Amino acid sequence: MDYVIDLVIIGLSVGMVYALVALGISLIFSGLDIVHFAHGEIYMLGAFIGLMIFQKLALPYVPALLLAIVVTGLIGVLIERLFYRRLTRAGGGYTVAGMGMIISGFGMSIVLQNIAFLIWGAKPLPFPVPFGMPVEVGNLTLPMSYVWIVSAGLLIMVGLHLLLRRTMLGLAMRAVAHNKDIAYLSGINVPAMISLTFGVGCALGAAAGVLIGPINYVQVQMGLGVLIKAFAAAVVGGFGSLPGAVLGGLLVGVVESLGAGFISGTYKDVYAFILLVLVLMVKPSGILGVEARMKA
Amino acid sequence: MPYPGIRCALLTAAMATGLAAAPARAEDGVIRIGISLRMIVENGLKYGQMAKDELEAVNAEGGINGKKIEVILLDDECKPDKGIANVNRFIHQNKVHLVMGSVCSSVSMPQVDITTKEEVPQIVSSSTNADITKKGSAWVFRTSVSERFYASVHAKYLSENVGKKVAYLYTTDTAGIGFAKDYMAFMRRTYKVEPLYEAQMQESDLDFRAHLLKIKSLNPEVLAIGGQLDAIARIVQQSYEVGIPKKVRRVSASAASNAPVPELAGDAVVGLAFAAAFSCKDERPVAQAFVKMVQEKYKVRCPDHDFSQTYETAQLIKLALKNAKLELTDASLKADRAAIRDALANIRDYHGLAAGPINFCADPTPQCRDGNRTGILVEYTKGGKDYDMRVLARVGFDPDFGL
């Protein structure tokens, strides 16, 4: 039984990282109607920024995490403002679906990867955070790094929930996500809200990157694997649904961990996609997703 | 002509394309050596440059027997497809007389097939997989210590000093598989002991904790880790995170000797043992002179065995070239390649940086072509950027060992 609990704890810690990235993807999708394929690189960029703040500014881990979230969020705003905005405007409004945005997402992913490569090189960099000794709970040994990931992830999610549900800014973001034209007519600065939504989505990716950095190290190619899992998580939970992204992320993490523990670790990546297929067969819109409908 | 400028540009582009596509004409009278190494890591760039510097240094003294050396140095990034492309370029475009490399076994293995088919001598500088010389190629030599020796250095020392309950966790790269399989085979053959646990992970995996938890529940005495350097660092670090106690001896493939492992894993690396061909803590004057040279010229504090083997390979190449009768014309290319192969095969009792002598011979067998048969067992005593280590044991083997 202890072994199962251990596996679930590991799954939850990895799942929390997937959930944060999936949350960012879902937030950007709900706000901008675009699937952001460069989000894995935002996660990577956030991890590098966190590492640089931690090492060069010699700040403790928590301030480094918070500062990395803010800086990456601002970079996200800049990216949206300078690049994606042009495409959305070219589409005749605030939203343009289609190949242009998908291709530019892939392009942005390559650009960010190469920028990171030029700055930090290809080799993995250690993120040496002294989390302290593992906590003993009965027969369980709970590493502090997992405790950090899960609790920091939960705090960030609570923060996001409060921002979206309890502030005027959040209300404006939700209004823009729901219907941009009506939001505009209501006096909301729609372009600013889109930038903000994109920035918050990127900040969530950065949080995930900084949280996993001490365990998996930080390297240029770290984004691809997590992006695929995060997409799976977002789809399992219901694409565009924020609670769904969290649930999907945690489910993917736990299923992956249990599969690796009880079946075979060699095919660890497959379990997430088996889960994805099963969920889509039973509920094509995802566990917490709503029936697809045309957005205004 | 309506657009003379465009036409002129097109003509220029066509000529340039044609020139680029045409095979480069090899210069007569020059010994051409193609080197393919994993240089994507910082140290890779440095030992790659060191190999080039060492070989081309003879040009300042008038060359070897009056013949200049030209080195074509390419990075294969530890990727088989790039390694194959490099070797094909060396052979067909640069018309090299000799190929040196690579570091990763997964790259050297397919390269050997090409050099064998094209009859070009290849000296493998750092790859350890035992199958490289088991292919039976008459054109292949190896300076690095084969995994069939390395595995036994670990196995013998650890089974006698630590225990025989071994859990194996390794990634799907050739070196990782070779390390674990050879170790397991030795334990079965010598002690009739089966693995306590065995699991193979993808090379791209970052999270090994599910396996490590299972291993923890089995109470092993030794945790054997096979893989490339970042996988080794991750597994070692994660093994402590899941609570595998320090008394469980961590032992890993020779890639652990690379500096990024202690730098990445930090203090988790303390106590990690690995077999290597060289340690910067080797007190012999020849070793300390080499360490000093690398420190001063390449700014590397503690050169690992990738450095030493690259350097050693360059010295062996120079020795072979000195003893080979070369004409170095287009027409003599095939004969020159055969002469270099024969000169390499005649190297006997070469004493350099390796812990023991290097001996090659003519038969295309591992006994003849695994020239370096002495391994050392090293353990880290400190992690991080200022990592430190000590030599635990030095073990030499017969040529037939492990076959």
Side-chain angles (χ1 to χ4, degrees), chain A residues 73 89 163 246 286 292 294 296:
Chain A
R89 284 200 172 147
L163 170 74
V246 177
M294 188 66 77

Side-chain angles (χ1 to χ4, degrees), chain B residues 16 90 92 152 175 191 204 249 254 257 303 315-316 329 355 357:
Chain B
F90 290 152
H92 300 294
S152 306
Y191 302 107
S204 54
R249 190 64 186 242
S254 58
S257 67
Q315 307 311 316
L316 290 167
T329 62

Side-chain angles (χ1 to χ4, degrees), chain A residues 3 6-7 10 13-14 117 122-126 134 139-143 145-146 149 212 214-217 219 221-222 257 260-269, chain B residues 40-42 79 172 197 199-202 204-211 213-214 216-217 229-230 233-235 237-238 240-243 260-261 263-266 385:
Chain A
Y3 181 53
D6 270 336
L7 287 173
I10 287 176
S13 71
V14 179
F117 176 77
K123 70 174 186 178
L125 298 178
N139 291 331
L140 296 175
T141 309
L142 206 57
S145 52
Y146 303 179
I149 291 178
I212 202 68
I215 294 177
N216 285 351
Y217 309 138
Q219 61 184 326
Q221 290 172 332
M222 66 190 281
S257 178
F262 286 107
I263 306 170
S264 165
T266 312
Y267 307 105
K268 193 160 66 83
D269 292 341
Chain B
I40 197 160
V41 290
E42 189 187 351
K79 292 178 181 166
T172 50
Y197 181 81
Q200 199 179 82
M201 301 285 285
Q202 299 295 329
S204 54
D205 269 329
L206 303 174
D207 191 349
F208 303 91
R209 292 174 291 177
H211 285 293
L213 272 177
K214 213 171 209 171
K216 179 187 159 193
S217 67
L229 39 97
D230 46 342
R234 282 192 183 99
I235 294 173
Q237 195 176 350
Q238 290 175 14
Y240 284 105
E241 282 173 2
V242 301
V261 173
E263 289 173 6
L264 282 170
K385 281 212 176 295

Side-chain angles (χ1 to χ4, degrees), chain B residues 288-320:
Chain B
Q288 283 311 306
F290 167 74
V291 171
K292 191 164 177 253
M293 182 276 287
V294 175
Q295 284 172 342
E296 285 172 359
K297 201 167 172 189
Y298 300 100
K299 310 295 175 210
V300 174
R301 187 177 64 86
C302 180
D304 55 29
H305 73 182
D306 280 344
F307 273 96
S308 74
Q309 292 176 147
T310 304
Y311 180 86
E312 195 103 288
T313 306
Q315 307 311 316
L316 290 167
I317 289 172
K318 286 194 277 189
L319 182 62

